[in-house]
Amino acid sequence: SGLSRPCFVTAPPGDTARAFIVEQRTNAPATGRIRILDITTNTLAATPYLSIAGVSSGDEEGLLGLAFHPDFATNGFFYVYYSLSGNNTVRRYQADAPYATSTTADAASNTQVITFSHPSASNHNGGWIGFGPDNYLYIGTGDGGSANDPPGNAQNINSYLGKMHRIDVNSDGFPGDTTRNYAIPPTNPFATVA
């Protein structure tokens, strides 16, 4: 109880006392939130860990994913995936110090990592993100929406939609572009395609 459209649960590496719950969005105004549940007392913190105002408000839109950096305890970085004005975006935030035990995050630390254009429909946004054992961030994008993927995005190697992406968030392969704060892993066989 006390949650609005919960859609995902995770925790920082090594944190076994708390669960971080992604609330897709509140109804009005559209705000995605991350809430903390203390597992030892089964108590939901009254103050959200992070609130993101202005997320898209379609039925399958909003705050959809959360992943904590493998070195979260030392850098405080975590990543979210949400829909915003016809796009799906991955943003990096930083927890307030001390990172490993903080109950709030710094909303002003918002840094755009990557954005996927999603112009044709409000559904099929994807949204799962997570770090693999290789320390790369994996991002599952939806196919772009409508029934049966009419534009064929999932089968189009030049479309970013309907794919599983793998990026290096510890490097910046686009230093002149403030909207792309990641690098493409050298082992990506499709690096020069799109």
Side-chain angles (χ1 to χ4, degrees), residues 18-194:
R18 302 181 299 169
F20 288 70
I21 303 168
V22 173
E23 291 182 309
Q24 183 181 350
R25 68 175 181 282
T26 58
N27 289 330
T31 301
R33 298 187 302 193
I34 300 170
R35 307 287 300 279
I36 298 176
L37 176 69
D38 184 320
I39 296 171
T40 60
T41 64
N42 198 30
T43 304
L44 184 66
T47 302
Y49 183 69
L50 178 69
S51 294
I52 303 171
V55 298
S56 296
S57 60
D59 190 50
E60 296 178 22
E61 296 177 317
L63 179 58
L64 302 170
L66 168 64
F68 290 91
H69 193 281
D71 295 324
F72 175 77
T74 55
N75 65 23
F77 293 150
F78 64 95
Y79 299 80
V80 297
Y81 181 113
Y82 61 91
S83 48
L84 178 68
S85 303
N87 295 311
N88 291 321
T89 186
V90 175
R91 306 283 177 113
R92 184 188 75 202
Y93 288 86
Q94 189 171 39
D96 291 326
Y99 307 134
T101 58
S102 176
T103 59
T104 55
D106 179 7
S109 66
N110 176 355
T111 301
Q112 184 173 333
V113 176
I114 189 170
T115 296
F116 305 99
S117 178
H118 190 279
S120 59
S122 65
N123 63 342
H124 296 199
N125 291 282
W128 179 86
I129 57 176
F131 282 90
D134 53 9
N135 289 333
Y136 292 137
L137 181 64
Y138 288 73
I139 305 164
T141 59
D143 64 20
S146 197
N148 304 314
D149 188 18
N153 289 319
Q155 302 304 315
N156 180 353
I157 201 165
N158 293 306
S159 171
Y160 288 111
L161 301 177
K163 310 291 187 296
M164 181 62 71
H165 298 271
R166 178 177 57 122
I167 62 174
D168 180 358
V169 296
N170 296 311
S171 300
D172 188 351
F174 312 93
D177 187 346
T178 59
T179 65
R180 299 170 77 185
N181 291 289
Y182 65 95
I184 299 170
T187 53
N188 181 346
F190 303 105
T192 60
V193 173

